[in-house]
Amino acid sequence: MTQQTPSQSTAPLDALIAGYHRFRQIGWTPHRERWTALGEGQQPEVMIIACSDSRVDPAQIFDVDPGEIFVVRNVAALVPPFETAPGHHGVSAALEFAVQVLKVKEIVVMGHGMCGGCKAALTQAMRGTEPGHGGFIADWISMLDDAREPVAETYGTEGREAERAMEMAAVCVSLDNLMTFPCIDAKVKAGSLRLRGAFFAISDGVLHIMDDTTRTFAPVV
Ligand SMILES: [Zn+2]
C-alpha cells in the first residue's frame, strides 16, 4: 500500500484524510457486515436531486447510510427537460438509471436557502459571459428564465424575499421538467413513482416539504 508522502500533503487533503480515518473507525468498521452486503448491489428507494452547494448534503440532512439514497447534485438542483439533442445529458442518464434500473419509488427535488445558482438566475449576473468564465452557469440557469419573471415582478431581483421565492420556484421548474420524461410521466400516472419538492436552509436547519396541489412549502414538524 502506498503511503502518503509529505510532498503530496496539503491542508485540504489532510482534512479529507483525517475525516476518512474517522469514517473507517466509527462509520465503516463497526458495520462491516452491512457494507459487505451493499458490495453486492444497491437498492435505494429514493432519488434526491440537490444543489452542489457544500451546505446541503442530502445524506447528512436525512441522516441516511450508504445505499439508502441515489443522489444527483448540480448547480441549483435543476432537472433539464427531456431532450434528445446531441450532447452529454448527465442528469437524464442518472434519472434513467434511477427510474428504469433501480426503480426508485420517490424522486425528491430539494432546493435550498442562499442558492448561488438561483441568485444568478435572478440577477442575470452571468449573462453574456464566455464558457469557462460564467457561460456554462449562465446557460444552465437559463432554465429558470421563465420562472424568474413572475418572481422578479413580485419581489424584484434583490434581497432574501426575492431569492427565496426564486429558490422555491426553481424546485417547481425541476418537478415540471421531470414530467417531460416519458418514463417518469408514465410511472407517476401509474402510481409507481412519486415526485416531491423540498427546501432546506442551513441557517435555520428546517426542512420544508412542498404541497403538491398548492405548491407551497411547509416546515416539517
Ligand atoms: Zn444552490
Side-chain angles (χ1 to χ4, degrees), residues 115-129:
C115 181
C118 288
K119 185 173 184 174
L122 198 56
T123 62
Q124 308 261 287
M126 303 271 185
R127 181 162 275 195
T129 54

Side-chain angles (χ1 to χ4, degrees), residues 85-107:
H88 302 296
H89 302 286
V91 177
S92 303
L95 283 170
E96 198 172 62
F97 189 71
V99 170
Q100 301 290 57
V101 180
L102 297 173
K103 297 181 169 41
V104 297
K105 297 185 172 117
E106 305 220 359
I107 300 177

